Amino acid sequence: MKHIIILGDGMADHPIERLGGKTLLQYANTPYMNLLAKNGRTGRLMTIPEGFLPGSEVANTSILGYDLNKVYEGRGPLEAASIGYDMHSDDLALRCNIICLENSVIKNHHGGHLKTEEGDMFIRYLNDKLGNDQIKFITGIQYRHLLIIKNGNKHILCAPPHDHPNEEWRPLLVRPEDGWADKADGERMTGQATADLINSLILQSQQLLSEHPFNKERAKRGLDVANSIWPWSGGYRPSMKPLGEIYPQITKGSVISAVDLIRGIGKYAGLHRVEVEGITGLADTNYEGKAEAAIRALETGDFVFLHIEASDEAGHDGDLELKLKTIEYLDSRIVGPIYNKVKEWAEPVCIAVLPDHPTPVEIRTHVKEPVPFLIWYHGIIPDDVQTYDEVSCAYGSYGLLHLEQFMNIFMKL
């Protein structure tokens, strides 16, 4: 049996008064996900281990069956792997957003949804002005980039910018973890020295970016400006076994995503990265191209991790109507075409659909709550659940699973 996980990042949500007390999954028109739930089995999954924040790097790694206590090093190293930067043993790699500050608060975590070429322009500019033998800025995708600090200390507290919309930014500056202010990590810097360096880079970037002609032009037009870097989720080079060593059923697996973080997880997991033209991580992504790529990958391989970012971005922006559209797009343009193609294959395909975490539009940040999931394959004995949503799946036959339990069950089917 072949296996595909279709992951709608941040798709789960809370009941919304404007929707008559329904969640977005309950309210949206999702005939294919409902069909698979009705003819398959469902449940809920807790994707965040105790002691971890509900980030996508944690949740997606957990969904793929890894013990975060053994492999977690933050987003930075995963995105370094995706970008193609080979981390050295003395590197500290941090995710480096380019964000929009306005009136002393974080207006958004994406600098006005920068295009990759715009982000590259800023990163090259900053690396030219601030980079040296110790500091390096590396281009990623859109607003998501990489900061490398030689001998940096990972024992620092950094605030993920998407978790703090409309909050003052100064109280969120980097600080050392308790006990690490004057403590070095081997031959690395102390926690305080690392925090001070990063905060200095943030302040310098604000001055440099405010003077950039691109931002001056956007400001004249009343558009959001990309006026600060925001490094976070740093770590050292991780050690992860390829999925094929954990699950022998996976002999040729693939990852499909517009997001460097997910591509990085895929690389360490031993999955082949499938390139798809026109994917953006937003609601305008190439859904059809992703579905076609997933089908081709299943034809020649046996495992696909298909990640769709759009719902998470809409949730962070607090855009209810757009998040509804992204859920319906995933259903009609991803789940439907894949199901209709593989349902009659001689070798059965097992399909799972789930989010990695909720990103409620009225909160605009990730929350640590169970997510609904469905599993379908030809011949599965269905449970009594008729629709795919947060409420219905609570009554599913799988009950409430935790962490790697999902992947262990999924790969045995």
Side-chain angles (χ1 to χ4, degrees), residues 45-49 58-59 62-63 68 354-357 369-371 403:
L45 174 64
M46 177 58 77
T47 63
I48 310 299
V58 172
S62 171
I63 288 169
L68 272 295
L354 75 164
D356 51 349
H357 50 67
E369 298 171 358
V371 297
L403 310 172

Side-chain angles (χ1 to χ4, degrees), residues 128-184:
D128 180 60
K129 298 293 185 181
L130 302 176
N132 52 43
D133 291 341
Q134 185 186 17
I135 298 164
K136 182 182 294 185
F137 292 88
I138 301 173
T139 300
I141 293 178
Q142 297 167 339
Y143 62 88
R144 314 175 188 96
H145 304 284
L146 191 68
L147 171 62
I148 300 293
I149 299 177
K150 292 292 182 183
N151 293 312
N153 190 323
K154 72 177 182 179
H155 297 285
I156 53 177
L157 299 174
C158 305
H162 56 266
D163 285 346
H164 300 276
N166 299 320
E167 294 185 28
E168 292 190 9
W169 63 269
R170 286 188 179 276
L172 300 173
L173 286 169
V174 184
R175 65 185 191 276
E177 292 180 358
D178 290 344
W180 283 92
D182 300 319
K183 184 179 178 181

Side-chain angles (χ1 to χ4, degrees), residues 244-281:
E245 294 184 16
I246 305 172
Y247 306 102
Q249 308 94 315
I250 300 176
T251 61
K252 185 179 180 182
S254 299
V255 60
I256 303 171
S257 177
V259 178
D260 272 339
L261 161 67
I262 305 301
R263 294 175 176 181
I265 294 173
K267 181 172 181 178
Y268 280 115
L271 302 178
H272 170 67
R273 174 170 146 183
V274 178
E275 299 288 351
V276 179
E277 185 176 354
I279 57 176
T280 66

Side-chain angles (χ1 to χ4, degrees), residues 103 180 391:
N103 297 325
W180 283 92
V391 178

Side-chain angles (χ1 to χ4, degrees), residues 235-362:
Y236 310 150
R237 184 184 177 99
S239 177
M240 290 171 60
K241 287 184 178 180
L243 280 176
E245 294 184 16
I246 305 172
Y247 306 102
Q249 308 94 315
I250 300 176
T251 61
K252 185 179 180 182
S254 299
V255 60
I256 303 171
S257 177
V259 178
D260 272 339
L261 161 67
I262 305 301
R263 294 175 176 181
I265 294 173
K267 181 172 181 178
Y268 280 115
L271 302 178
H272 170 67
R273 174 170 146 183
V274 178
E275 299 288 351
V276 179
E277 185 176 354
I279 57 176
T280 66
L282 302 172
D284 63 354
T285 198
N286 182 3
Y287 288 92
E288 288 74 18
K290 279 191 168 184
E292 292 170 4
I295 292 167
R296 289 196 301 270
L298 282 174
E299 288 173 340
T300 58
D302 46 38
F303 178 82
V304 173
F305 188 69
L306 174 57
H307 173 268
I308 312 294
E309 173 74 4
S311 293
D312 187 60
E313 293 291 337
H316 285 307
D317 284 344
D319 193 328
L320 174 64
E321 289 74 19
L322 182 60
K323 187 171 181 182
L324 280 170
K325 286 182 180 179
T326 65
I327 292 171
E328 293 178 348
Y329 287 163
L330 184 139
D331 185 80
S332 63
R333 301 166 69 180
I334 294 288
V335 178
I338 291 173
Y339 164 73
N340 285 326
K341 186 69 175 182
V342 308
K343 64 182 180 180
E344 303 296 340
W345 282 7
E347 182 174 2
V349 176
C350 188
I351 299 175
V353 179
L354 75 164
D356 51 349
H357 50 67
T359 308
V361 293
E362 294 186 336

Side-chain angles (χ1 to χ4, degrees), residues 23-277:
T23 71
L24 281 79
L25 281 171
Q26 288 179 303
Y27 188 87
N29 180 29
T30 56
Y32 284 105
M33 287 189 277
N34 290 340
L35 175 68
L36 294 184
K38 180 178 180 179
N39 294 306
R41 297 178 63 190
T42 64
R44 294 187 301 158
L45 174 64
M46 177 58 77
T47 63
I48 310 299
E50 196 65 36
F52 286 81
L53 296 174
S56 291
E57 77 283 10
V58 172
N60 284 274
T61 305
S62 171
I63 288 169
L64 285 172
Y66 289 99
D67 183 343
L68 272 295
N69 290 293
K70 296 179 179 178
V71 305
Y72 182 72
E73 283 288 347
R75 288 195 182 209
L78 297 172
E79 304 205 17
S82 174
I83 291 170
Y85 177 78
D86 188 15
M87 288 185 65
H88 299 96
S89 59
D90 59 351
D91 284 345
L92 171 67
L94 300 104
R95 163 77 168 269
C96 186
N97 282 41
I98 303 178
I99 69 173
C100 177
L101 303 178
E102 187 173 280
N103 297 325
S104 300
V105 304
I106 297 177
K107 184 176 183 182
N108 62 58
H109 65 284
H110 48 64
H113 287 303
L114 292 175
K115 297 177 181 177
T116 297
E117 56 269 27
E118 294 166 347
D120 178 59
M121 170 186 64
F122 284 133
I123 289 298
R124 290 177 181 271
Y125 172 64
L126 291 170
N127 196 59
D128 180 60
K129 298 293 185 181
L130 302 176
N132 52 43
D133 291 341
Q134 185 186 17
I135 298 164
K136 182 182 294 185
F137 292 88
I138 301 173
T139 300
I141 293 178
Q142 297 167 339
Y143 62 88
R144 314 175 188 96
H145 304 284
L146 191 68
L147 171 62
I148 300 293
I149 299 177
K150 292 292 182 183
N151 293 312
N153 190 323
K154 72 177 182 179
H155 297 285
I156 53 177
L157 299 174
C158 305
H162 56 266
D163 285 346
H164 300 276
N166 299 320
E167 294 185 28
E168 292 190 9
W169 63 269
R170 286 188 179 276
L172 300 173
L173 286 169
V174 184
R175 65 185 191 276
E177 292 180 358
D178 290 344
W180 283 92
D182 300 319
K183 184 179 178 181
D185 196 355
E187 297 182 358
R188 294 174 179 269
M189 305 160 60
T190 65
Q192 187 65 61
T194 304
D196 290 344
L197 175 58
I198 295 171
N199 290 333
S200 174
L201 292 173
I202 291 173
L203 296 175
Q204 291 179 78
S205 78
Q206 292 174 10
Q207 181 65 36
L208 290 166
L209 291 172
S210 67
E211 298 171 351
H212 197 282
F214 180 87
N215 278 326
K216 288 184 175 181
E217 177 60 29
R218 285 180 69 88
K220 288 179 181 178
R221 294 160 57 197
L223 302 175
D224 288 345
V225 293
N227 56 2
S228 181
I229 62 166
W230 200 267
W232 58 288
S233 197
Y236 310 150
R237 184 184 177 99
S239 177
M240 290 171 60
K241 287 184 178 180
L243 280 176
E245 294 184 16
I246 305 172
Y247 306 102
Q249 308 94 315
I250 300 176
T251 61
K252 185 179 180 182
S254 299
V255 60
I256 303 171
S257 177
V259 178
D260 272 339
L261 161 67
I262 305 301
R263 294 175 176 181
I265 294 173
K267 181 172 181 178
Y268 280 115
L271 302 178
H272 170 67
R273 174 170 146 183
V274 178
E275 299 288 351
V276 179
E277 185 176 354

